[in-house]
Amino acid sequence: MNKSPEVAIVGAYEHPTRFSPDKSEWQLNFEAAQGALADAGLTPGHVDAFFTAATAPEGGQLGTCAAVMMADYLGINPNFIDETDVGGASFGYFVNRAVMAIQSGMAKCALISYGASTKSRGINVGTVGYDDLNGSSLLPTPDSFEQIYGTTVISFMGMLATRYMNDYGLKPEELAAVAVTMREHAARNPDALYRDPLTVDDVLSSPMIATPLHRYDCCVISDGAAGLVLAHPDIVRESNKTPVKILGMGESYMTHGGGLTDWASESRLMVKRACDQAYAMSGVTPADIDLATIYDAFTLNVPIDLEGAGFCGVGEGGAYVADGNLRLDGRLPTNPDGGGLSSNHPGRRGIFLFVEAVRQLRQEAEGRQVRGAKTAMVTATGAAFLARRGSAAHILGV
């Protein structure tokens, strides 16, 4: 049996904007795609698979059929397109599908791009409820279990955090340590939205948004755009950049379960299922990982993902952060760019996790470089809506 070709990321680009009221989402997406192809030393003519997503909420300016519309805007004619929507995890799912498209022979060069003008349009992502996404009609879907209570993204996360604190002893100070660490990293990133110092007391004294989560427990809101290029070995040889290999990948999801799902434990187990797939595929263990990029839409996401990925025991994620393990000189440097809590968060931040991991593994992260980084874990969790959630996990290496 022929061995599947080894797929690698050869292009990665992050748009420096955090606020671009003069640019449409189309233009931001286009500029990010151009940047990723230029980084790879390739052209639009190489692209035969394409992946993108409209920003949430309200479908963004791209709206439905985003991949077809954006392919037209870019002037490309791919054999394979996808716009799978799993919220912030969508771009991890896109990487999986790009790998499978290349390994199946359907494509040799996949472009993944994203652009969003969330801040320019005044969208407060965390306060979005089901009605904001799908209109005011009560629909006969699983979302109706939450819709009748007016649940929003942040209120759901507040309930999840409360349950996690009750079940596993997670402390507000430990969550605050996540925000403080991310801000410390952002200070080294000239493109980060917020770079001023932040203390645990600053986090705990900031306004309460959804008990027990304070303002600084929540991600920033920004505009932004990014792009990735994944390639077959034949195309890798044409690229001018160090290839970053997809060593392992996985994905998982959780549902409302008719109201019976234990959100706290299932959130961690969902991440664990995705990470276990990635570990099994790669032959890598948590001890082999040099750095992590974790989707930190809220501080709570980080300890849950640390536990799910096996970097610490169940209930130990908060203490793991508070002990300084995520700092650039710690055991597991995490989100060296400042993450969604301080650098940028346009609505679907998963793609930016890959860009930062690629920069780190290429030794290109000036001012915040993790010394000797060879292997990275990327985890992202997003929501179809609230309790219907998906996770993606990837192990990258050079």
Side-chain angles (χ1 to χ4, degrees):
M1 183 174 66
N2 293 331
K3 183 180 179 182
S4 297
E6 190 172 58
V7 181
I9 300 173
V10 294
Y13 175 80
E14 179 180 319
H15 202 295
T17 188
R18 298 299 185 265
F19 183 62
S20 297
D22 59 324
K23 296 179 186 289
S24 68
E25 293 188 347
W26 298 84
Q27 185 174 350
L28 288 172
N29 195 318
F30 177 83
E31 292 176 4
Q34 280 189 317
L37 287 168
D39 182 65
L42 300 174
T43 70
H46 285 91
V47 177
D48 49 14
F50 178 62
F51 306 80
T52 195
T55 194
E58 300 168 352
Q61 294 170 0
L62 297 186
T64 57
C65 300
V68 176
M69 300 291 282
M70 198 64 218
D72 187 22
Y73 191 84
L74 290 167
I76 58 176
N77 295 285
N79 301 324
F80 189 105
I81 64 169
D82 191 13
E83 53 188 71
T84 296
D85 184 1
V86 200
S90 297
F91 290 91
Y93 278 56
F94 290 157
V95 168
N96 291 354
R97 281 141 187 76
V99 169
M100 289 186 283
I102 292 170
Q103 290 183 336
S104 73
M106 293 187 69
K108 284 194 171 183
C109 182
L111 172 63
I112 304 173
S113 63
Y114 175 62
S117 53
T118 311
K119 186 176 179 66
S120 294
R121 293 191 291 129
I123 297 172
N124 295 317
V125 179
T127 58
V128 171
Y130 187 83
D131 289 351
D132 299 300
L133 290 169
N134 296 285
S136 58
S137 299
L138 185 67
L139 301 177
T141 70
D143 293 297
S144 301
F145 284 104
E146 295 152 11
Q147 186 185 2
I148 57 175
Y149 298 107
T151 314
T152 63
V153 175
I154 182 59
S155 63
F156 173 84
M157 293 304 295
M159 289 189 288
L160 182 57
T162 298
R163 180 65 181 267
Y164 219 84
M165 288 178 173
N166 179 76
D167 289 357
Y168 303 109
L170 181 66
K171 299 178 176 60
E173 294 82 4
E174 294 170 341
L175 289 180
V178 176
V180 171
T181 305
M182 297 306 102
R183 184 62 63 87
E184 179 182 305
H185 295 173
R188 295 169 173 262
N189 179 6
D191 293 326
L193 184 61
Y194 294 121
R195 304 179 66 210
D196 295 336
L198 192 66
T199 68
V200 169
D201 286 342
D202 290 335
V203 177
L204 297 179
S205 63
S206 65
M208 188 69 74
I209 304 300
T211 306
L213 301 177
H214 298 78
R215 175 189 292 168
Y216 291 128
D217 286 302
C218 307
C219 65
V220 303
I221 297 175
S222 72
D223 295 348
L228 296 170
V229 179
L230 280 71
H232 182 281
D234 291 347
I235 303 298
V236 170
R237 286 190 282 270
E238 296 185 43
S239 176
N240 56 12
K241 283 295 181 75
T242 300
V244 174
K245 300 171 185 176
I246 312 292
L247 302 178
M249 62 188 193
E251 61 186 63
S252 182
Y253 67 93
M254 62 178 280
T255 69
H256 192 285
L260 300 177
T261 297
D262 180 340
W263 292 347
S265 63
E266 184 60 17
S267 293
R268 182 188 68 256
L269 291 171
M270 173 181 62
V271 176
K272 183 180 186 302
R273 290 192 294 271
C275 290
D276 284 350
Q277 292 171 21
Y279 287 134
M281 184 181 296
S282 66
V284 168
T285 71
D288 300 317
I289 303 296
D290 297 318
L291 74 126
T293 53
I294 295 174
Y295 196 140
D296 57 337
F298 303 92
T299 53
L300 178 66
N301 294 116
V302 175
I304 288 178
D305 280 25
L306 291 171
E307 295 173 17
F311 294 118
C312 58
V314 176
E316 297 176 357
Y320 189 86
V321 179
D323 287 344
N325 288 299
L326 306 195
R327 300 178 68 184
L328 293 184
D329 59 354
R331 291 172 57 188
L332 184 72
T334 298
N335 295 351
D337 64 336
L341 290 167
S342 285
S343 181
N344 72 324
H345 192 293
R348 298 178 188 268
R349 195 174 188 274
I351 192 168
F352 299 96
L353 306 179
F354 289 95
V355 174
E356 180 63 15
V358 168
R359 286 176 171 173
Q360 289 289 337
L361 295 177
R362 288 177 175 175
Q363 308 296 306
E364 294 176 348
E366 185 177 352
R368 60 182 189 275
Q369 180 64 53
V370 176
R371 186 176 302 175
K374 298 292 184 183
T375 309
M377 168 65 86
V378 180
T379 64
T381 294
F385 193 67
L386 303 184
R388 268 69 61 191
R389 297 158 65 77
S391 282
H394 295 81
I395 297 173
L396 312 182
V398 292

